Amino acid sequence: MSCGAGLIRYSASFLLVMFCAAALSAAPLPPAAPTQAQITVLYDAFGKSSDMHKDWGHAALVEYGGKRILFDTSNNPDILAHNAQVKGIDLSKLDFVVMSHRHGDHMGGLSYVLKVNPAVKIYAPKEGFGVYGADLPSTCYRNDASLPPEQPYYDGAPPDIMRWIGLARGELSTRGQKHRNRS
């Protein structure tokens, strides 16, 4: 992906966060000041030296219109927990989480967020295939006849439809909690 395409994706994702914050009418837990807008970076590989741990990935707390929104959840749940503590951010008090896309460095800390806030709403993009996507016809699977017989996936005979569960079906189940996939 080019830098320009990445900037467009993040700008569009940020606008989605702002739209969701303005559109939701549920009471916040505790609210940010209604006139205050603030973004607190919780996870990044850059910045001045501090008690924050740097790592590949991204997470930021967006406070806007009285809402507390976690945008992405980072790469490592332990580092996210540490950095949130350093910044004095309580992730159990979020209105919702927005996942920009399905790369591990943007959703790897989700296990920590769900541990401290198991009922939080999660908004995720609808993608064509994979974690947030749909089923895939086996015609997309390339069978390599040069592999030894024990190495091809599905013994070289994939099912007609390769099915994905979880978010592909509209829900993420974790520790008995259900989280709706909003696309």
Side-chain angles (χ1 to χ4, degrees):
M1 172 174 35
S2 71
C3 289
L7 181 59
I8 290 170
R9 175 189 290 174
Y10 287 111
S11 297
S13 297
F14 182 75
L15 289 173
L16 173 66
V17 169
M18 293 300 107
F19 175 77
C20 289
L24 288 176
S25 61
L29 308 165
T35 58
Q36 178 184 357
Q38 180 173 315
I39 298 174
T40 304
V41 175
L42 294 175
Y43 203 103
D44 203 353
F46 308 98
K48 296 178 182 176
S49 294
S50 73
D51 291 335
M52 300 277 287
H53 291 171
K54 295 178 184 137
D55 190 34
W56 188 258
H58 182 263
L61 178 69
V62 178
E63 296 173 280
Y64 179 79
K67 301 292 182 190
R68 294 171 47 89
I69 306 146
L70 184 62
F71 182 75
D72 285 341
T73 65
S74 77
N75 187 44
N76 181 309
D78 296 330
I79 294 175
L80 177 63
H82 169 82
N83 288 352
Q85 181 181 13
V86 166
K87 288 288 190 175
I89 302 294
D90 184 354
L91 296 178
S92 72
K93 294 180 168 68
L94 296 172
D95 289 288
F96 58 94
V97 175
V98 173
M99 305 301 293
S100 66
H101 63 290
R102 65 183 174 101
H103 291 170
D105 57 327
H106 293 262
M107 60 184 282
L110 188 57
S111 62
Y112 172 72
V113 174
L114 291 173
K115 177 181 172 183
V116 299
N117 195 343
V120 69
K121 285 185 182 180
I122 299 170
Y123 293 87
K126 184 172 184 168
E127 294 180 341
F129 179 68
V131 176
Y132 299 129
D135 297 334
L136 184 68
S138 66
T139 55
C140 293
Y141 174 81
R142 184 176 63 95
N143 191 9
D144 186 347
S146 68
L147 292 172
E150 69 277 1
Q151 289 186 353
Y153 286 110
Y154 305 105
D155 293 326
D160 289 336
I161 301 292
M162 296 166 65
R163 303 218 181 269
W164 286 80
I165 59 172
L167 292 175
R169 296 281 182 250
E171 296 184 359
L172 168 65
S173 297
T174 305
R175 293 189 165 95
Q177 300 293 323
K178 301 265 182 184
H179 301 276
R180 299 292 306 158
N181 177 19
R182 312 285 184 197
S183 47

